[in-house]
Amino acid sequence: MSSRPEPVYDIAQLGHAELLTPRLEESVAFFTEVYGLTLVGEDPGRAHLRAWNDDVLTSLTLTGAPEAGLGHVAWRATSPQALERRVAALEKHGVEGAWHDGDFGHGKAYRYTGVGGHIQEVYFDTEKYVPPPGEAPALPNQPQRFAPKGAAAARIDHINLLVPDVAEASRFQQEVLGFKLRERLVPAGGDEVGAWLSVMTKAHDLALTKEPAPTTGRLHHLAYAVPETSDVIRAADVFLENDVFIEFGPAKHSRTQGFFLYVYEPGGNRVEVFTGGIHIFAPDFETVTWDTESKGRGTAWGLGVPESFHTHATPPFGGASA
């Protein structure tokens, strides 16, 4: 008989994220004109955006702030009952969170600080996207008319958070919220420095990376997906034409098997254009453990990892709580 714990399927997806930016107007222009999102709402100091294949009204909020970073990340539950179960699990775990009535595009949510110092929330009720008159898609199984602009990011895909203790943060996400640990990086004789977790069948909805500085709550990157590898390559041309610095890629990850490209938006947040990635359908999938960057090859092919990829985060060192 297997001793594996009963899997929890109460979290359905990465619902939305809030990025802080000291250059709000420029960040909005980047995400709409270059990255290819659509502006769907504004209120004082904030802008709400969506990707063309997101079925919800909004997946990204940009908030004006003194420095870049993560405002919060939100996980959508599979049902109202699942939301209540996960909140009960959080509180049983000793997490001190609080309910709020909701925000642009979604209903009530339970907000808390996760292991690693990031503000997270769980919710269920969400507003679906309804195209305005004359903008309905040709196919009824698509949420929005396909009228690509810039890199044409299609949907929110995953987020990478920097945490002081990867193993501890990974256990929290697994035991309390039901995430599945798909892959991890544990150098020989060392501590776990990377974990890739998902809630359903994707390679990852959440990556956790070892925080290199004595601080907490920092963001490594937020990623949106595009349909094809060729879309990532075309995005590189779009960024080149718009004088956007390409930090890393196009190349292919060994872990997750995704094809990728990393850039910085004007406020200073790192964002990724991503496609592919393994899909996991077996309920008894065994976590893959990598031992080193050299043997495990962080990049399957393409240029090697630049030093900035391991040392730069938002907010910059000194800007987050110690």
Side-chain angles (χ1 to χ4, degrees), residues 270-316:
R270 179 191 283 114
V271 292
E272 181 183 12
V273 178
F274 180 89
T275 195
I278 57 175
H279 279 262
I280 298 160
F281 301 104
D284 56 352
F285 177 84
E286 297 292 337
T287 299
V288 176
T289 298
W290 301 75
D291 57 2
T292 66
E293 287 283 8
S294 57
K295 287 177 64 179
R297 295 184 62 83
T299 306
W301 47 262
L303 294 176
V305 183
E307 183 64 23
S308 62
F309 196 71
H310 292 305
T311 59
H312 183 79
T314 50

Side-chain angles (χ1 to χ4, degrees), residues 5-22:
E6 182 72 18
V8 174
Y9 293 104
D10 279 350
I11 302 296
Q13 63 188 140
L14 168 60
H16 60 266
E18 177 192 23
L19 296 184
L20 309 179
T21 170

Side-chain angles (χ1 to χ4, degrees), residues 91-113:
E91 293 180 341
K92 183 178 180 180
H93 192 77
V95 173
E96 296 182 0
W99 287 98
H100 67 86
D101 291 335
D103 202 345
F104 184 92
H106 72 88
K108 71 172 185 176
Y110 187 82
R111 183 169 288 194
Y112 60 95
T113 300

Side-chain angles (χ1 to χ4, degrees), residues 46-252:
R46 301 196 308 168
H48 310 285
L49 305 101
R50 58 172 279 100
W52 63 266
N53 202 231
D54 287 326
D55 64 349
V56 297
L57 177 62
T58 179
S59 58
L60 176 63
T61 292
L62 298 175
T63 299
E67 61 186 13
L70 179 69
H72 76 278
V73 57
W75 308 103
R76 190 177 182 219
T78 58
S79 68
Q81 296 80 11
L83 172 59
E84 297 293 340
R85 287 194 295 267
R86 287 313 96 206
V87 171
L90 285 163
E91 293 180 341
K92 183 178 180 180
H93 192 77
V95 173
E96 296 182 0
W99 287 98
H100 67 86
D101 291 335
D103 202 345
F104 184 92
H106 72 88
K108 71 172 185 176
Y110 187 82
R111 183 169 288 194
Y112 60 95
T113 300
V115 173
H118 306 88
I119 298 174
Q120 303 190 42
E121 67 182 22
V122 288
Y123 70 104
F124 174 70
D125 289 325
T126 191
E127 184 175 349
K128 298 293 186 178
Y129 178 71
V130 178
E135 294 296 321
L139 302 175
N141 61 357
Q142 298 298 299
Q144 181 175 336
R145 180 183 181 188
F146 182 56
K149 179 181 289 186
R155 59 173 174 79
I156 194 169
D157 190 81
H158 67 267
I159 194 166
N160 185 317
L161 306 178
L162 291 170
V163 294
D165 188 326
V166 172
E168 180 188 11
S170 178
R171 282 194 300 271
F172 174 82
Q173 297 292 143
Q174 294 174 68
E175 295 173 2
V176 183
L177 294 175
F179 281 64
K180 286 76 182 170
L181 178 61
R182 303 311 194 180
E183 300 184 78
R184 63 181 188 148
L185 175 60
V186 187
D191 296 329
E192 190 169 338
V193 297
W196 291 262
L197 305 103
S198 67
V199 292
M200 293 296 176
T201 66
K202 287 165 53 181
H204 64 324
D205 297 280
L206 171 67
L208 300 170
T209 303
K210 175 70 175 178
E211 169 61 74
T215 189
T216 60
R218 296 203 299 174
L219 171 71
H220 191 273
H221 69 267
L222 176 67
Y224 275 71
V226 291
E228 306 287 346
T229 300
S230 59
D231 294 316
V232 179
I233 296 172
R234 189 180 68 83
D237 282 331
V238 171
F239 295 136
L240 176 67
E241 293 293 347
N242 286 274
D243 198 27
V244 175
F245 170 64
I246 297 173
E247 179 189 34
F248 186 17
K252 183 180 180 180

